[in-house]
Amino acid sequence: MVNPFLMRRTSCCTWKKWYEKMKNSVILGAIFCLVPLCYGHAQDIKLGQLGFYPQAEKIAIIPGGVVGESFYIIDQVAYDTVCTGVIRTAGYWELAKENVGQANFSDFMSPGVYKITSASKSSHPFEIGSHIYESLLKASIKSYYYQRASTELLPIHAGEYKRDLAHPDDRVLVHPKAATEQRPAGTTLRAPRGWYDAGDYNKYVVNSGISTYTLLAALEYFGETLATLSLAIPESENQVPDVLDEVKWNLDWMLTMQDPHDGGVYHKLTSKEFSGFVTPGKAIKERYVMPKTTAATLNFAAVMAQASRVFAAYERDFPGFSRACGEAALKAWKWSRINPARIYDQPADVTTGEYGDDVLSDEFQWAATELFVTIRRDSFYTFINIPSITATVPSWRNVSTLSLISLARHHHLVPAGERSQAKKKLLDLAGRLLATYRDSPYKMPFGGAASDFVWGSNGLAANQGVVLLAAYYLTEDKHYLSAAMANMDYLLGRNPLNYCFVTGFGKKSPLDPHHRPSFSDHVTAPVPGFLVGGPNPGQQDKCTYPSDLPALSYTDDVCSYASNEVAINWNAPLVFLLAGIIQAHGSERE
Ligand code: G3I
Ligand code: 9MR
């Protein structure tokens, strides 16, 4: 156990000798400590609002800060200045039109609660500690429980967010455009369970694909951290990791979306139009399955292949499930090979989310990868064709890098001669993110280009973190870890808006997300643990925004589905990022 007093004396930013002499003088001490506080009420110094691990890089961003300017770390219990430092790097961020200075106090490692101040500015209070992300990790996974369709949420699991059973989805209609000889229009199907996609109540296979994959990949990578988490969900008493029980809720639904007659997978299960802003129980429009598509079928094949290998270890708990997933994956793959370009064509009477994608080479490679890793058949490996993979930050539309992430985790399966190619593809992408991190005024990989500010930009920042963590776990090079953690800080408050973008966490977080359950439940606080979409200059919702600048195009208004909605594919990389960071700091906690 480290003595915090010893650490305080030996590890710090610059200690001024005269301050060292005077620090026992109550009057001078008070003046020294309180002057920055008196002028610093604005809390406009930005940092990850959940704080820092003792050994981690610690950056706060001081708006208007210039090189040479001093900053102070103030202990919030003793009201004592425990460390002073100077800004050594400053820069201009065009996407926020902001001059900022970086306060780097990485060498200050004493656990405690502090504020950082400069001449006229101050931060929120923050912690330095070894358990800063545990409750956030749990909440970010629990968010999926709150998205469950076809079940009641009981007070013992959901507290004030309890609700009645809704969307049983036991009589879903086959839409005329999805009709086949065996299942003519109007046929009713059972397709219960699954997670609501986002702020709406529909269930989309494509977006379920990357979301479910990322959660299972988090378990494959960070089982040590995730397998023992208790989430207070209905299955918490069984012998299976809660995160896996949660994922199974969605897999059970996905399996129902496969047409047993041919193996193809319906693109989505949806009402024809979005429901109003009502509770799940009041959103009672008829629900339909939409035409089978290659994108949905390949997403399904990839996730079922992955699920088959993960659930193989739980045969006793779920007899036959692993095998059923594997068989479903193979059937879906076969269908996709016969129907390689069934692109989603939204029927004229349907207006809900499209998740349309007409480039399917990446989905083919990803599905082949998951099938190869699980079944280990050479023909799947040949199909992947590693040299042809274009590595990009993963998104629901672009899944090529999911192949690399799975191959990195299972690199012993890749033929030795080609292992380095797969590794290089991943590290080249991670290297580009690292370069942006080093040069950026906010010292982060995210926001290197305006194109980062898409619909769901926060999900993109989290997915950059996923890539960097995969690179870290492949190489053990800590630079990748620091860069991933910088994006974590961005999402938790080190951003021009000073927002912690996860509901219910941090000092300033979204209160009015575009999330029907949060809006309609009569509880003031939104359902916790959700990452909102984030700044998006597209502003497609036409709400009122404070600015048109890419990094400032965010409004905490329920109206704003283009910047303030929640979604399962944005929370999943948050879970991955948190679990990976916590696991990386495991030894620090012991
Ligand atoms: O691909 C183009 C790119 O070439 C172009 O440079 C860029 C410029 O803006 O746009 C890119 O397309 C964007 C597309 O996402 C792919 O990223 C579109 O502009 C953008 O409007 C589109 O946004 C999607 C949105 O639905 C509207 O379709 C989001 O990614 C997607 O997350 C979101 O998903 C919705 C579901 O439909 C319904 N449920 C809620 C969910 C979350 O908001
Ligand atoms: O609520 C919908 C949200 O989940 C979607 O992401 C978004 C874009 O498809 O659409 C939202 O619904 C809006 C619809 O598109 C236009 N009329 C207003 C709806 C929200 O109140």
Side-chain angles (χ1 to χ4, degrees):
M1 177 70 189
V2 180
N3 179 333
F5 284 99
L6 281 180
M7 283 192 69
R8 183 165 293 192
R9 282 177 181 285
T10 52
S11 66
C12 189
C13 333
T14 322
W15 275 90
K16 294 225 166 70
K17 277 211 170 116
W18 60 268
Y19 170 70
E20 184 74 52
K21 269 192 218 146
M22 292 298 180
K23 75 182 177 35
N24 290 331
S25 149
V26 175
I27 297 169
L28 268 179
I31 293 170
F32 189 75
C33 300
L34 294 178
V35 163
L37 284 182
C38 294
Y39 292 97
H41 288 309
Q43 293 165 341
D44 36 17
I45 297 182
K46 296 128 181 190
L47 41 69
Q49 292 170 16
L50 269 61
F52 303 89
Y53 283 99
Q55 311 292 331
E57 178 171 74
K58 302 176 196 70
I59 305 276
I61 296 297
I62 305 187
V66 292
V67 171
E69 187 179 333
S70 297
F71 63 84
Y72 312 91
I73 310 289
I74 318 288
D75 185 310
Q76 293 301 288
V77 176
Y79 282 97
D80 191 7
T81 299
V82 290
C83 163
T84 69
V86 290
I87 295 175
R88 296 190 200 285
T89 309
Y92 177 69
W93 195 21
E94 176 64 30
L95 302 178
K97 293 210 184 301
E98 193 185 27
N99 279 301
V100 295
Q102 292 172 14
N104 187 332
F105 52 105
S106 305
D107 54 357
F108 181 70
M109 300 181 190
S110 301
V113 179
Y114 308 94
K115 271 188 183 178
I116 179 163
T117 68
S118 66
S120 60
K121 297 186 172 67
S122 169
S123 73
H124 290 291
F126 64 90
E127 188 188 340
I128 294 181
S130 303
H131 300 276
I132 52 173
Y133 291 153
E134 260 92 337
S135 58
L136 179 62
L137 173 65
K138 283 190 184 184
S140 64
I141 306 174
K142 182 84 179 250
S143 74
Y144 290 88
Y145 165 74
Y146 291 117
Q147 292 294 93
R148 285 188 187 188
S150 321
T151 185
E152 75 277 31
L153 305 190
L154 296 174
I156 41 161
H157 307 120
E160 57 190 344
Y161 302 106
K162 66 183 187 294
R163 64 171 186 247
D164 295 337
L165 185 149
H167 298 107
D169 287 338
D170 51 356
R171 292 184 59 77
V172 176
L173 296 163
V174 173
H175 187 274
K177 293 280 186 200
T180 53
E181 205 182 315
Q182 294 95 340
R183 290 181 160 182
T187 306
T188 56
L189 309 177
R190 278 182 50 80
R193 300 197 171 189
W195 300 311
Y196 299 132
D197 182 57
D200 62 330
Y201 295 133
N202 303 304
K203 305 191 286 196
Y204 307 80
V205 171
V206 167
N207 204 40
S208 262
I210 185 168
S211 309
T212 312
Y213 166 82
T214 304
L215 293 176
L216 284 174
L219 190 67
E220 286 193 277
Y221 267 82
F222 315 123
E224 209 180 291
T225 300
L226 286 171
T228 54
L229 281 187
S230 181
L231 303 174
I233 58 175
E235 301 79 10
S236 286
E237 299 308 312
N238 70 13
Q239 300 308 304
V240 175
D242 282 5
V243 63
L244 209 53
D245 282 316
E246 193 50 62
V247 164
K248 188 166 180 294
W249 190 266
N250 203 51
L251 291 169
D252 286 347
W253 164 66
M254 286 180 83
L255 284 166
T256 70
M257 293 295 277
Q258 184 170 47
D259 182 347
H261 300 100
D262 61 6
V265 176
Y266 298 106
H267 193 69
K268 60 176 177 174
L269 188 164
T270 180
S271 50
K272 287 186 176 175
E273 292 152 6
F274 287 113
S275 78
F277 260 69
V278 295
T279 57
K282 291 205 171 125
I284 50 170
K285 290 180 201 289
E286 278 181 324
R287 284 153 78 90
Y288 297 81
V289 290
M290 292 298 141
K292 289 173 258 184
T293 63
T294 313
T297 307
L298 287 169
N299 268 273
F300 176 100
V303 168
M304 289 305 160
Q306 181 197 27
S308 176
R309 68 173 178 265
V310 174
F311 276 87
Y314 300 92
E315 186 57 29
R316 236 187 19 207
D317 306 280
F318 306 115
F321 189 71
S322 162
R323 191 192 169 96
C325 291
E327 284 171 3
L330 281 170
K331 265 186 107 167
W333 174 259
K334 198 167 160 202
W335 185 91
S336 303
R337 293 300 307 275
I338 299 167
N339 301 276
R342 290 266 196 109
I343 306 303
Y344 184 61
D345 183 15
Q346 177 105 300
D349 59 345
V350 177
T351 54
T352 54
E354 286 202 27
Y355 288 114
D357 187 356
D358 52 9
V359 179
L360 298 172
S361 47
D362 52 323
E363 279 79 7
F364 268 108
Q365 282 174 318
W366 175 40
T369 301
E370 300 308 331
L371 283 159
F372 165 67
V373 172
T374 300
I375 300 171
R376 306 185 186 182
R377 200 182 286 162
D378 286 348
S379 56
F380 290 122
Y381 182 74
T382 312
F383 198 97
I384 306 171
N385 189 5
I386 292 173
S388 72
I389 293 181
T390 309
T392 54
V393 176
S395 69
W396 62 262
R397 215 181 207 189
N398 211 326
V399 293
S400 54
T401 300
L402 303 185
S403 286
L404 298 175
I405 291 169
S406 286
L407 291 176
R409 176 66 186 78
H410 300 279
H411 55 92
H412 57 285
L413 297 177
V414 182
E418 289 173 29
R419 220 172 274 167
S420 61
Q421 283 184 354
K423 183 173 173 180
K424 184 172 183 311
K425 295 252 175 196
L426 184 68
L427 296 187
D428 282 352
L429 175 59
R432 289 197 289 279
L433 295 169
L434 205 53
T436 306
Y437 154 78
R438 287 190 174 124
D439 292 346
S440 113
Y442 269 70
K443 204 162 188 223
M444 59 189 188
F446 181 68
S451 56
D452 278 0
F453 289 95
V454 289
W455 187 319
S457 62
N458 283 343
L460 188 142
N463 269 311
Q464 290 180 341
V466 169
V467 170
L468 285 158
L469 280 187
Y472 168 63
Y473 280 91
L474 191 59
T475 61
E476 295 185 7
D477 178 342
K478 286 210 166 181
H479 294 102
Y480 296 122
L481 174 63
S482 296
M485 290 175 73
N487 270 9
M488 189 76 252
D489 278 358
Y490 168 81
L491 294 173
L492 300 181
R494 194 212 294 177
N495 56 62
L497 295 153
N498 214 357
Y499 256 96
C500 171
F501 285 118
V502 184
T503 56
F505 285 81
K507 303 295 182 296
K508 182 184 173 198
S509 61
L511 298 175
D512 288 310
H514 188 90
H515 183 227
R516 285 164 174 77
S518 291
F519 181 83
S520 57
D521 63 6
H522 302 297
V523 179
T524 311
V527 184
F530 284 97
L531 181 66
V532 297
N536 167 20
Q539 302 186 3
Q540 291 89 337
D541 47 39
K542 311 263 185 297
C543 304
T544 306
Y545 284 72
S547 166
D548 288 341
L549 290 173
L552 305 181
S553 283
Y554 169 76
T555 178
D556 180 15
D557 186 328
V558 68
C559 148
S560 183
Y561 53 78
S563 82
N564 206 32
E565 188 162 359
V566 307
I568 56 172
N569 62 315
W570 306 330
N571 255 62
L574 174 68
V575 170
F576 190 106
L577 195 49
L578 285 163
I581 292 171
I582 291 173
Q583 187 145 315
H585 290 81
S587 52
E588 226 175 289
R589 293 200 309 275
E590 280 148 14

